Amino acid sequence: LQPLFMIGTNGKLKDPVISLLNSAFNFDDNVMRQSYWIHYKAAKSGQMWFAITGNPTASVSGTTVYHDANDHSDAEWLGLIAHEESHRQEISKRGNFDFYVGYIGEGLRKSYKEINTEKTAYKYGADYSTSTDMMDQLLDYKSGIVMTILKNESLNESQKALQLGLVGKEFRLEKIINPNLAVCFIPSPLS
């Protein structure tokens, strides 16, 4: 259901995706390694969670990310992963209880996209109505090098992870830390 070069059949994120999100967005790789992605219909708790949250595209419950696996493009999947892993990062820092109490409390006073954690997550990805989130920028970076590397069948997982780590670092340096940077000193991948 999901692109197997991003999420394995075991529901775990693949190393190249972890390397990319760690280097580009400073997401904790250990938190991402603990994530378990599963179709919501595969577990009663997932079905209940989707019913409670109004059938979203994906929803986080602790370390589990339930998704609906609609026909998303590869780019949309990567945006969805960045969005949900942003929530996972926050849960890891705040703890389940504080995260969900805060989320529900804000949700009672604000619209869905005005909840602080959603604002942050949409900054990283999965807002299909716009092309301004950071994942869209990362996917456009250097003529789409991220997908070129991810889909390159001649590279093994370690090679992809190494190259995407370099791309992510360069992107973070140029586009997030110092957008006015004129010269990049990180070697280009695939060379």
Side-chain angles (χ1 to χ4, degrees):
L1 297 173
Q2 69 271 9
L4 293 177
F5 60 90
M6 293 185 206
I7 302 171
T9 56
N10 63 356
K12 297 294 191 175
L13 293 176
K14 295 279 188 114
D15 283 344
V17 172
I18 291 172
S19 179
L20 178 68
L21 295 178
N22 172 264
S23 61
F25 303 146
N26 205 28
F27 286 2
D28 185 320
D29 57 345
N30 291 320
V31 172
M32 289 185 285
R33 288 184 200 293
Q34 294 170 8
S35 295
Y36 177 63
W37 285 70
I38 183 172
H39 192 276
Y40 78 98
K41 289 184 180 177
K44 285 184 181 180
S45 58
Q47 293 171 39
M48 181 177 70
W49 194 251
F50 259 53
I52 291 169
T53 55
N55 296 324
T57 303
S59 188
V60 175
S61 177
T63 59
T64 304
V65 181
Y66 297 107
H67 62 83
D68 66 2
N70 283 338
D71 293 327
H72 299 302
S73 69
D74 293 338
E76 289 171 336
W77 265 105
L78 209 46
L80 182 63
I81 291 168
H83 179 101
E84 298 304 329
E85 289 300 324
S86 169
H87 291 315
R88 289 270 306 112
Q89 298 293 310
E90 192 171 344
I91 289 169
S92 174
K93 290 176 187 164
R94 292 175 55 186
N96 274 331
F97 182 79
D98 284 349
F99 175 84
Y100 290 110
V101 167
Y103 192 99
I104 292 167
E106 276 192 80
L108 293 172
R109 299 184 322 273
K110 300 176 179 179
S111 68
Y112 167 73
K113 284 195 174 181
E114 291 301 311
I115 297 171
N116 286 329
T117 189
E118 290 300 340
K119 283 183 183 179
T120 300
Y122 277 111
K123 178 178 78 172
Y124 289 109
D127 194 349
Y128 308 135
S129 62
T130 67
S131 60
T132 58
D133 62 52
M134 287 197 284
M135 183 52 72
D136 288 327
Q137 293 174 41
L138 180 54
L139 288 169
D140 289 342
Y141 186 65
K142 293 201 171 188
S143 302
I145 194 167
V146 166
M147 280 300 174
T148 300
I149 294 169
L150 274 174
K151 292 182 173 185
N152 187 335
E153 294 179 8
S154 68
L155 298 174
N156 65 36
E157 295 290 306
S158 296
Q159 291 167 323
K160 289 179 185 182
L162 179 64
Q163 290 188 8
L164 287 171
L166 291 173
V167 169
K169 286 177 185 174
E170 190 171 345
F171 173 84
R172 182 170 179 74
L173 183 61
E174 286 183 24
K175 303 295 183 184
I176 298 173
I177 295 173
N178 188 356
N180 298 319
L181 188 66
V183 178
C184 184
F185 57 87
I186 299 174
S188 178
L190 297 176
S191 55

PDB file of all heavy atoms in Angstrom, residues 47-68:
ATOM      1  N   GLN A  47      -8.810   1.520  13.813  1.00  0.00           N
ATOM      2  CA  GLN A  47     -10.165   1.840  13.376  1.00  0.00           C
ATOM      3  C   GLN A  47     -10.834   2.787  14.369  1.00  0.00           C
ATOM      4  O   GLN A  47     -11.497   3.746  13.988  1.00  0.00           O
ATOM      5  CB  GLN A  47     -10.977   0.557  13.220  1.00  0.00           C
ATOM      6  CG  GLN A  47     -10.485  -0.319  12.079  1.00  0.00           C
ATOM      7  CD  GLN A  47     -11.155  -1.677  12.056  1.00  0.00           C
ATOM      8  OE1 GLN A  47     -12.342  -1.793  12.323  1.00  0.00           O
ATOM      9  NE2 GLN A  47     -10.380  -2.699  11.735  1.00  0.00           N
ATOM     10  N   MET A  48     -10.623   2.517  15.665  1.00  0.00           N
ATOM     11  CA  MET A  48     -11.199   3.371  16.695  1.00  0.00           C
ATOM     12  C   MET A  48     -10.571   4.762  16.627  1.00  0.00           C
ATOM     13  O   MET A  48     -11.258   5.775  16.695  1.00  0.00           O
ATOM     14  CB  MET A  48     -10.966   2.766  18.079  1.00  0.00           C
ATOM     15  CG  MET A  48     -11.565   3.578  19.209  1.00  0.00           C
ATOM     16  SD  MET A  48     -11.345   2.794  20.812  1.00  0.00           S
ATOM     17  CE  MET A  48      -9.581   2.974  21.045  1.00  0.00           C
ATOM     18  N   TRP A  49      -9.236   4.817  16.462  1.00  0.00           N
ATOM     19  CA  TRP A  49      -8.538   6.096  16.417  1.00  0.00           C
ATOM     20  C   TRP A  49      -9.007   6.927  15.238  1.00  0.00           C
ATOM     21  O   TRP A  49      -9.230   8.118  15.346  1.00  0.00           O
ATOM     22  CB  TRP A  49      -7.033   5.853  16.356  1.00  0.00           C
ATOM     23  CG  TRP A  49      -6.230   7.064  16.636  1.00  0.00           C
ATOM     24  CD1 TRP A  49      -5.486   7.786  15.757  1.00  0.00           C
ATOM     25  CD2 TRP A  49      -6.085   7.729  17.887  1.00  0.00           C
ATOM     26  NE1 TRP A  49      -4.887   8.841  16.372  1.00  0.00           N
ATOM     27  CE2 TRP A  49      -5.242   8.836  17.687  1.00  0.00           C
ATOM     28  CE3 TRP A  49      -6.595   7.500  19.160  1.00  0.00           C
ATOM     29  CZ2 TRP A  49      -4.900   9.708  18.706  1.00  0.00           C
ATOM     30  CZ3 TRP A  49      -6.243   8.366  20.175  1.00  0.00           C
ATOM     31  CH2 TRP A  49      -5.411   9.454  19.950  1.00  0.00           C
ATOM     32  N   PHE A  50      -9.207   6.291  14.081  1.00  0.00           N
ATOM     33  CA  PHE A  50      -9.679   7.023  12.909  1.00  0.00           C
ATOM     34  C   PHE A  50     -11.104   7.520  13.123  1.00  0.00           C
ATOM     35  O   PHE A  50     -11.453   8.613  12.698  1.00  0.00           O
ATOM     36  CB  PHE A  50      -9.590   6.158  11.654  1.00  0.00           C
ATOM     37  CG  PHE A  50      -8.399   6.485  10.800  1.00  0.00           C
ATOM     38  CD1 PHE A  50      -7.126   6.505  11.343  1.00  0.00           C
ATOM     39  CD2 PHE A  50      -8.543   6.805   9.464  1.00  0.00           C
ATOM     40  CE1 PHE A  50      -6.027   6.810  10.574  1.00  0.00           C
ATOM     41  CE2 PHE A  50      -7.438   7.111   8.684  1.00  0.00           C
ATOM     42  CZ  PHE A  50      -6.185   7.115   9.239  1.00  0.00           C
ATOM     43  N   ALA A  51     -11.934   6.727  13.793  1.00  0.00           N
ATOM     44  CA  ALA A  51     -13.306   7.152  14.073  1.00  0.00           C
ATOM     45  C   ALA A  51     -13.306   8.362  15.000  1.00  0.00           C
ATOM     46  O   ALA A  51     -14.022   9.337  14.781  1.00  0.00           O
ATOM     47  CB  ALA A  51     -14.099   6.005  14.691  1.00  0.00           C
ATOM     48  N   ILE A  52     -12.464   8.335  16.026  1.00  0.00           N
ATOM     49  CA  ILE A  52     -12.376   9.438  16.990  1.00  0.00           C
ATOM     50  C   ILE A  52     -11.871  10.709  16.309  1.00  0.00           C
ATOM     51  O   ILE A  52     -12.367  11.803  16.562  1.00  0.00           O
ATOM     52  CB  ILE A  52     -11.439   9.071  18.168  1.00  0.00           C
ATOM     53  CG1 ILE A  52     -12.081   7.990  19.031  1.00  0.00           C
ATOM     54  CG2 ILE A  52     -11.083  10.292  19.007  1.00  0.00           C
ATOM     55  CD1 ILE A  52     -11.128   7.389  20.049  1.00  0.00           C
ATOM     56  N   THR A  53     -10.884  10.575  15.443  1.00  0.00           N
ATOM     57  CA  THR A  53     -10.247  11.744  14.829  1.00  0.00           C
ATOM     58  C   THR A  53     -10.883  12.144  13.496  1.00  0.00           C
ATOM     59  O   THR A  53     -10.356  12.998  12.797  1.00  0.00           O
ATOM     60  CB  THR A  53      -8.731  11.492  14.647  1.00  0.00           C
ATOM     61  OG1 THR A  53      -8.556  10.289  13.901  1.00  0.00           O
ATOM     62  CG2 THR A  53      -8.027  11.378  15.974  1.00  0.00           C
ATOM     63  N   GLY A  54     -11.983  11.538  13.136  1.00  0.00           N
ATOM     64  CA  GLY A  54     -12.708  11.981  11.943  1.00  0.00           C
ATOM     65  C   GLY A  54     -12.120  11.519  10.632  1.00  0.00           C
ATOM     66  O   GLY A  54     -12.153  12.248   9.647  1.00  0.00           O
ATOM     67  N   ASN A  55     -11.558  10.319  10.587  1.00  0.00           N
ATOM     68  CA  ASN A  55     -11.021   9.728   9.360  1.00  0.00           C
ATOM     69  C   ASN A  55     -10.012  10.614   8.625  1.00  0.00           C
ATOM     70  O   ASN A  55     -10.220  10.989   7.476  1.00  0.00           O
ATOM     71  CB  ASN A  55     -12.160   9.330   8.423  1.00  0.00           C
ATOM     72  CG  ASN A  55     -13.029   8.245   9.025  1.00  0.00           C
ATOM     73  OD1 ASN A  55     -12.530   7.358   9.715  1.00  0.00           O
ATOM     74  ND2 ASN A  55     -14.317   8.314   8.778  1.00  0.00           N
ATOM     75  N   PRO A  56      -8.927  10.956   9.244  1.00  0.00           N
ATOM     76  CA  PRO A  56      -7.890  11.735   8.548  1.00  0.00           C
ATOM     77  C   PRO A  56      -7.082  10.854   7.599  1.00  0.00           C
ATOM     78  O   PRO A  56      -7.304   9.643   7.544  1.00  0.00           O
ATOM     79  CB  PRO A  56      -7.007  12.215   9.703  1.00  0.00           C
ATOM     80  CG  PRO A  56      -7.127  11.104  10.706  1.00  0.00           C
ATOM     81  CD  PRO A  56      -8.541  10.609  10.605  1.00  0.00           C
ATOM     82  N   THR A  57      -6.156  11.440   6.893  1.00  0.00           N
ATOM     83  CA  THR A  57      -5.257  10.670   6.036  1.00  0.00           C
ATOM     84  C   THR A  57      -4.335   9.804   6.885  1.00  0.00           C
ATOM     85  O   THR A  57      -4.033   8.675   6.542  1.00  0.00           O
ATOM     86  CB  THR A  57      -4.425  11.618   5.149  1.00  0.00           C
ATOM     87  OG1 THR A  57      -5.326  12.421   4.403  1.00  0.00           O
ATOM     88  CG2 THR A  57      -3.523  10.857   4.212  1.00  0.00           C
ATOM     89  N   ALA A  58      -3.881  10.354   8.012  1.00  0.00           N
ATOM     90  CA  ALA A  58      -3.040   9.607   8.950  1.00  0.00           C
ATOM     91  C   ALA A  58      -3.231  10.197  10.337  1.00  0.00           C
ATOM     92  O   ALA A  58      -3.652  11.343  10.483  1.00  0.00           O
ATOM     93  CB  ALA A  58      -1.573   9.684   8.537  1.00  0.00           C
ATOM     94  N   SER A  59      -2.917   9.384  11.334  1.00  0.00           N
ATOM     95  CA  SER A  59      -3.083   9.820  12.706  1.00  0.00           C
ATOM     96  C   SER A  59      -2.062   9.098  13.580  1.00  0.00           C
ATOM     97  O   SER A  59      -1.788   7.916  13.367  1.00  0.00           O
ATOM     98  CB  SER A  59      -4.509   9.500  13.168  1.00  0.00           C
ATOM     99  OG  SER A  59      -4.768  10.071  14.413  1.00  0.00           O
ATOM    100  N   VAL A  60      -1.514   9.811  14.550  1.00  0.00           N
ATOM    101  CA  VAL A  60      -0.494   9.247  15.428  1.00  0.00           C
ATOM    102  C   VAL A  60      -1.103   8.847  16.765  1.00  0.00           C
ATOM    103  O   VAL A  60      -1.867   9.596  17.357  1.00  0.00           O
ATOM    104  CB  VAL A  60       0.644  10.274  15.676  1.00  0.00           C
ATOM    105  CG1 VAL A  60       1.644   9.754  16.691  1.00  0.00           C
ATOM    106  CG2 VAL A  60       1.346  10.627  14.389  1.00  0.00           C
ATOM    107  N   SER A  61      -0.749   7.662  17.216  1.00  0.00           N
ATOM    108  CA  SER A  61      -1.120   7.203  18.554  1.00  0.00           C
ATOM    109  C   SER A  61       0.136   6.598  19.173  1.00  0.00           C
ATOM    110  O   SER A  61       0.505   5.464  18.860  1.00  0.00           O
ATOM    111  CB  SER A  61      -2.247   6.174  18.479  1.00  0.00           C
ATOM    112  OG  SER A  61      -2.543   5.682  19.767  1.00  0.00           O
ATOM    113  N   GLY A  62       0.818   7.369  20.013  1.00  0.00           N
ATOM    114  CA  GLY A  62       2.081   6.893  20.603  1.00  0.00           C
ATOM    115  C   GLY A  62       3.141   6.724  19.533  1.00  0.00           C
ATOM    116  O   GLY A  62       3.482   7.662  18.818  1.00  0.00           O
ATOM    117  N   THR A  63       3.640   5.489  19.375  1.00  0.00           N
ATOM    118  CA  THR A  63       4.661   5.225  18.353  1.00  0.00           C
ATOM    119  C   THR A  63       4.046   4.743  17.043  1.00  0.00           C
ATOM    120  O   THR A  63       4.752   4.562  16.060  1.00  0.00           O
ATOM    121  CB  THR A  63       5.676   4.162  18.846  1.00  0.00           C
ATOM    122  OG1 THR A  63       4.966   2.959  19.149  1.00  0.00           O
ATOM    123  CG2 THR A  63       6.450   4.640  20.059  1.00  0.00           C
ATOM    124  N   THR A  64       2.740   4.534  17.030  1.00  0.00           N
ATOM    125  CA  THR A  64       2.070   4.019  15.837  1.00  0.00           C
ATOM    126  C   THR A  64       1.488   5.159  15.013  1.00  0.00           C
ATOM    127  O   THR A  64       0.878   6.076  15.550  1.00  0.00           O
ATOM    128  CB  THR A  64       0.936   3.044  16.230  1.00  0.00           C
ATOM    129  OG1 THR A  64       1.482   2.000  17.037  1.00  0.00           O
ATOM    130  CG2 THR A  64       0.280   2.437  15.006  1.00  0.00           C
ATOM    131  N   VAL A  65       1.690   5.062  13.705  1.00  0.00           N
ATOM    132  CA  VAL A  65       1.071   5.990  12.769  1.00  0.00           C
ATOM    133  C   VAL A  65       0.089   5.177  11.935  1.00  0.00           C
ATOM    134  O   VAL A  65       0.491   4.282  11.191  1.00  0.00           O
ATOM    135  CB  VAL A  65       2.098   6.672  11.845  1.00  0.00           C
ATOM    136  CG1 VAL A  65       1.406   7.641  10.897  1.00  0.00           C
ATOM    137  CG2 VAL A  65       3.185   7.380  12.650  1.00  0.00           C
ATOM    138  N   TYR A  66      -1.192   5.457  12.116  1.00  0.00           N
ATOM    139  CA  TYR A  66      -2.223   4.808  11.314  1.00  0.00           C
ATOM    140  C   TYR A  66      -2.443   5.654  10.061  1.00  0.00           C
ATOM    141  O   TYR A  66      -2.522   6.867  10.145  1.00  0.00           O
ATOM    142  CB  TYR A  66      -3.533   4.718  12.098  1.00  0.00           C
ATOM    143  CG  TYR A  66      -3.435   3.880  13.346  1.00  0.00           C
ATOM    144  CD1 TYR A  66      -3.431   4.474  14.602  1.00  0.00           C
ATOM    145  CD2 TYR A  66      -3.346   2.494  13.260  1.00  0.00           C
ATOM    146  CE1 TYR A  66      -3.339   3.697  15.752  1.00  0.00           C
ATOM    147  CE2 TYR A  66      -3.254   1.713  14.402  1.00  0.00           C
ATOM    148  CZ  TYR A  66      -3.253   2.319  15.648  1.00  0.00           C
ATOM    149  OH  TYR A  66      -3.157   1.558  16.776  1.00  0.00           O
ATOM    150  N   HIS A  67      -2.524   4.992   8.915  1.00  0.00           N
ATOM    151  CA  HIS A  67      -2.755   5.727   7.668  1.00  0.00           C
ATOM    152  C   HIS A  67      -3.855   5.054   6.877  1.00  0.00           C
ATOM    153  O   HIS A  67      -4.188   3.894   7.105  1.00  0.00           O
ATOM    154  CB  HIS A  67      -1.463   5.825   6.842  1.00  0.00           C
ATOM    155  CG  HIS A  67      -0.933   4.495   6.410  1.00  0.00           C
ATOM    156  ND1 HIS A  67      -1.394   3.846   5.296  1.00  0.00           N
ATOM    157  CD2 HIS A  67       0.011   3.695   6.955  1.00  0.00           C
ATOM    158  CE1 HIS A  67      -0.742   2.696   5.160  1.00  0.00           C
ATOM    159  NE2 HIS A  67       0.113   2.574   6.156  1.00  0.00           N
ATOM    160  N   ASP A  68      -4.423   5.805   5.932  1.00  0.00           N
ATOM    161  CA  ASP A  68      -5.504   5.240   5.123  1.00  0.00           C
ATOM    162  C   ASP A  68      -5.017   4.702   3.785  1.00  0.00           C
ATOM    163  O   ASP A  68      -5.780   4.075   3.069  1.00  0.00           O
ATOM    164  CB  ASP A  68      -6.623   6.253   4.924  1.00  0.00           C
ATOM    165  CG  ASP A  68      -6.217   7.448   4.088  1.00  0.00           C
ATOM    166  OD1 ASP A  68      -5.068   7.506   3.608  1.00  0.00           O
ATOM    167  OD2 ASP A  68      -7.057   8.344   3.912  1.00  0.00           O
TER     168      ASP A  68
END
